[in-house]
Amino acid sequence: MPRDPYEVLGVEREASEQEVKKAFRGLARELHPDVNAHDPQAEEKFKEAAEAYEILSDAERRATYDRYGHDGLRSGGYAPNFDGFGSINDLFNAFFGGGAGGFATAQGADVAVAVQIELLDAAQGTTVEVSYDVVDRCERCHGNGAEPGTPIETCDRCGGSGQLQAVSQTLLGQMVRTMVCDRCHGDGKVPKEPCKRCRGRGQVSSKRDLEVEVPAGISDGQRIRVGGQGSAGSAGAPPGDLYVLVGVREDERFVREGDNLITALDVPAPLAALGSELEVPTLEGTTVVDLVAGTQPGEVLTVRGEGMPSLRRGRRGDLRVIVNVVVPRRLTPEQRELVEQLNESLTDENLSSQESMFSKLRRAFGSQVA
């Protein structure tokens, strides 16, 4: 049983003619033969989409389907037949290759490629070289499909009109259906001798190398759009775009949170009590932070402007340093004696805190405590 054409195109039953056309265009680009050579079902999927479009783009046919379903269409004489096309390329070009069927040209397919960069590259901006496969205009025939030096003639199948008409008998009489010529794809002309390199298609598959600028501040998973660097369009239509998916490798020193960087600083307990100036890592090197006497575990020191640059505002975020107070282990007898002496000398004044229990828990567990 054929699927519901509304479901195939992914449109609502109240969709307008323009919405139906837009949905079919988008689906057809996804099923383009040059980017679906790996999918043995691509041809059947496109035929299903083409049948759905033929039903929903014709007001009378759509009304019949809405009232009686596929059975009503069959009893009315409508029976889609795409078997006369030699390949999915022929079928695709029948809809998009010429001006007769309402789709004069087809924009080239978009291409996606993924790259990996370091966190420092994401902070400073960098240039990456990408290599990817595209459909390009054939340089041998300059895209016209004819072997150089040979003429382009009027199509003998459609007589130069670019259209074919199919007549079928229905209960209501003859029904005439117009379609794009499968030989000239709507151009009305065909090369007398097809180009040997592209076999008359005017396009070939090729590999392209391109340098892409990665802006400072880009985040893991963001995309960069490079206009016009996708596959070539048909019949002079504009090319598609290149999308570069950027992955930012994890840096063992930092955790990124928006435009801020977070790092941890191990501090011996005695030093946290005494206070000191300590070096902490930054993206470009190190910087010095002032550790005040009596710094507690989990306290956060903020270094302004040492985070990531913002893509929109241009200013840099901050570096947040979480103090990890390290309690000494495996003490020697001499060290134990010193610690015992310190412990015995401590008073309530040394150990008292002005923090509430809530503040202590919040500092210990961060955002886990509401």
Side-chain angles (χ1 to χ4, degrees):
M1 182 71 180
R3 282 207 298 155
D4 179 7
Y6 293 100
E7 178 186 343
V8 172
L9 297 184
V11 297
E12 300 292 335
R13 302 189 78 84
E14 299 78 18
S16 66
E17 182 181 344
Q18 284 300 111
E19 289 173 327
V20 169
K21 183 181 293 186
K22 182 179 179 180
F24 177 54
R25 279 182 176 276
L27 190 58
R29 288 182 66 182
E30 292 178 16
L31 299 173
H32 192 289
D34 293 311
V35 295
N36 281 279
H38 63 285
D39 185 359
Q41 300 300 316
E43 183 171 352
E44 291 305 315
K45 291 177 183 176
F46 184 83
K47 286 181 178 179
E48 183 182 49
E51 178 183 349
Y53 175 73
E54 285 210 324
I55 294 172
L56 300 185
S57 62
D58 184 286
E60 183 178 343
R61 203 172 291 160
R62 181 174 178 175
T64 300
Y65 175 80
D66 287 343
R67 294 186 65 184
Y68 306 111
H70 286 286
D71 290 339
L73 290 172
R74 279 192 292 270
S75 64
Y78 171 70
N81 181 15
F82 300 122
D83 295 332
F85 297 98
S87 67
I88 186 175
N89 261 311
D90 295 334
L91 183 57
F92 189 92
N93 287 330
F95 278 88
F96 297 100
F103 298 99
T105 59
Q107 182 175 344
D110 295 333
V111 180
V113 64
V115 298
Q116 290 283 324
I117 63 174
E118 303 297 335
L119 183 62
L120 180 60
D121 294 328
Q124 297 178 339
T126 187
T127 300
V128 295
E129 185 170 313
V130 296
S131 181
Y132 57 100
D133 296 321
V134 293
V135 177
D136 267 332
R137 186 183 74 160
C138 177
E139 293 302 324
R140 179 177 177 83
C141 66
H142 303 292
N144 64 16
E147 183 68 12
T150 62
I152 297 177
E153 302 177 328
T154 300
C155 176
D156 57 5
R157 181 165 170 76
C158 66
S161 69
Q163 296 179 327
L164 296 176
Q165 290 186 336
V167 181
S168 57
Q169 294 293 332
T170 73
L171 295 176
L172 302 176
Q174 286 189 338
M175 178 180 290
V176 180
R177 183 159 58 102
T178 301
M179 66 185 73
V180 177
C181 176
D182 60 313
R183 174 166 169 76
C184 67
H185 310 307
D187 290 338
K189 296 182 179 298
V190 293
K192 183 175 183 179
E193 184 178 343
C195 172
K196 294 178 180 177
R197 185 182 179 199
C198 67
R199 299 181 181 180
R201 290 179 53 199
Q203 295 178 329
V204 294
S205 296
S206 64
K207 185 173 287 292
R208 184 178 298 172
D209 296 318
L210 186 69
E211 286 191 345
V212 178
E213 295 291 333
V214 179
I218 196 165
S219 298
D220 181 61
Q222 285 189 306
R223 297 188 309 172
I224 300 171
R225 174 180 169 273
V226 186
Q229 289 298 330
S231 292
S234 64
D241 300 327
L242 169 66
Y243 288 91
V244 181
L245 178 64
V246 179
V248 181
R249 295 188 183 93
E250 291 185 359
D251 190 303
E252 62 181 10
R253 302 169 300 169
F254 306 104
V255 172
R256 182 174 181 178
E257 189 177 80
D259 294 335
N260 297 320
L261 294 176
I262 302 172
T263 190
L265 178 64
D266 291 339
V267 179
L271 199 57
L274 295 171
S276 178
E277 288 187 344
L278 297 176
E279 279 192 348
V280 295
T282 65
L283 279 170
E284 289 83 8
T286 61
T287 190
V288 175
V289 295
D290 185 18
L291 189 73
V292 300
T295 297
Q296 299 299 303
E299 286 196 18
V300 179
L301 310 177
T302 300
V303 184
R304 301 294 182 189
E306 287 292 349
M308 299 290 292
S310 171
L311 273 174
R312 295 180 178 86
R313 297 189 300 273
R315 60 176 293 275
R316 291 186 66 157
D318 301 327
L319 173 64
R320 295 176 179 172
V321 183
I322 300 175
V323 178
N324 180 39
V325 176
V326 180
V327 177
R329 296 177 179 147
R330 296 178 291 275
L331 299 176
T332 66
E334 293 80 6
Q335 290 171 330
R336 176 175 290 276
E337 183 179 351
L338 291 171
V339 173
E340 288 175 349
Q341 291 177 13
L342 173 62
N343 183 57
E344 292 172 358
S345 69
L346 294 176
T347 66
D348 289 344
E349 186 177 349
N350 301 125
L351 301 176
S352 65
S353 172
Q354 300 301 317
E355 286 184 295
S356 65
M357 180 59 69
F358 178 81
S359 296
K360 292 176 182 178
L361 290 173
R362 187 173 185 180
R363 177 164 52 82
F365 296 103
S367 60
Q368 296 180 35
V369 179

